[in-house]
Amino acid sequence: AQSVAQPEDQVNVAEGNPLTVKCTYSVSGNPYLFWYVQYPNRGLQFLLKYITGDNLVKGSYGFEAEFNKSQTSFHLKKPSALVSDSALYFCAVSAPSGGSYIPTFGRGTSLIVHP
Amino acid sequence: DGGITQSPKYLFRKEGQNVTLSCEQNLNHDAMYWYRQDPGQGLRLIYYSQIVNDFQKGDIAEGYSVSREKKESFPLTVTSAQKNPTAFYLCASSGTTNNEQFFGPGTRLTVL
């Protein structure tokens, strides 16, 4: 069975500082990894994904994530946080099972960027 | 303008009533999904469909039903058998199951 953990319910950071939102996963086989963002009362928006290749993945709005196979992690990062980055962030993992790749989502991490 | 739509945005239901949530996409995606979101619990998969006229149960399918008669449409019915239906419901689609998902704006269902 696959699983994903987001160990922090909330991350607080000052505007202009770097941010990290953590994600670890457990799958059998090679993982497909995703990050999504959700603003209040909205659907999720795709930020970035790792399938294969370079361990550092760049995505939308200046976000990036680093795939670390030995630590089974896929942390989301941004060099300089904006107040507008405040939202709920979800990590998701999928791996082949019966020919499909149905993802499992983490519980979400609330990012709060203070002015 | 491609995308995925859900209606209505807010829905109120009396106990004992069935209600159907609409989900439509014009992205030509094969796969569609329904999720339930409760505070602090992330997204839980209710049903998914990889192709027309086929669908599979997710982790919390009890008390829900779906149909996939058209590629563009994947309606979800919340039946009276669902004991705690008040939640935020999200529909999503993807080209195939190993691609990123596109989400609709959600329907907030409240049982009175």
Side-chain angles (χ1 to χ4, degrees), chain B residues 41-96:
Chain B
Q41 295 197 45
L43 272 66
R44 292 185 290 169
L45 182 64
I46 304 172
Y47 271 96
Y48 68 95
S49 168
Q50 298 185 77
I51 196 168
V52 175
N53 292 321
D54 185 61
F55 49 83
Q56 305 295 327
K57 292 182 179 180
D59 301 319
I60 56 165
E62 185 176 352
Y64 300 96
S65 66
V66 294
S67 63
R68 186 86 187 275
E69 297 176 0
K70 299 186 300 181
K71 188 174 186 177
E72 302 79 17
S73 179
F74 191 42
L76 173 74
T77 296
V78 184
T79 75
S80 57
Q82 170 50 234
K83 297 306 179 188
N84 186 22
T86 294
F88 190 51
Y89 290 87
L90 288 163
C91 180
S93 70
S94 63
T96 56

Side-chain angles (χ1 to χ4, degrees), chain B residues 7-25:
Chain B
S7 62
K9 188 172 179 64
Y10 298 96
L11 188 57
F12 297 89
R13 188 196 91 174
K14 293 182 180 179
E15 283 192 24
Q17 290 181 336
N18 293 354
V19 63
T20 297
L21 282 59
S22 170
C23 178
E24 303 277 336
Q25 55 99 357

Side-chain angles (χ1 to χ4, degrees), chain A residues 32 34 36 38 41-44 46 49 88 90 100-103 105-107, chain B residues 9 35 37 40 42-43 45 48 50 88 90 97-98 100-101 103-105 108:
Chain A
Y32 287 31
F34 305 85
Y36 294 86
Q38 184 182 33
N41 297 310
R42 305 285 294 275
L44 279 67
F46 168 73
K49 67 180 178 183
L88 191 57
F90 289 95
S100 64
Y101 292 74
I102 306 304
F105 285 80
R107 294 161 68 97
Chain B
K9 188 172 179 64
Y35 294 94
Q37 185 177 20
L43 272 66
L45 182 64
Y48 68 95
Q50 298 185 77
F88 190 51
L90 288 163
T97 56
N98 60 346
E100 63 270 22
Q101 296 183 355
F103 284 80
R108 188 166 297 280

Side-chain angles (χ1 to χ4, degrees), chain A residues 34-112:
Chain A
F34 305 85
W35 275 103
Y36 294 86
V37 60
Q38 184 182 33
Y39 297 98
N41 297 310
R42 305 285 294 275
L44 279 67
Q45 297 176 33
F46 168 73
L47 281 178
L48 51 80
K49 67 180 178 183
Y50 172 83
I51 305 297
T52 187
D54 193 348
N55 289 344
L56 185 63
V57 179
K58 294 188 183 296
S60 305
Y61 312 120
F63 284 94
E64 58 188 28
E66 185 167 12
F67 171 64
N68 188 317
K69 188 172 183 177
S70 63
Q71 297 186 6
T72 61
S73 67
F74 190 58
H75 301 331
L76 182 70
K77 300 182 180 184
K78 187 173 183 181
S80 179
L82 299 172
V83 172
S84 57
D85 292 330
S86 298
L88 191 57
Y89 290 81
F90 289 95
C91 180
V93 64
S94 67
S97 174
S100 64
Y101 292 74
I102 306 304
T104 298
F105 285 80
R107 294 161 68 97
T109 297
S110 177
L111 173 67
I112 299 175

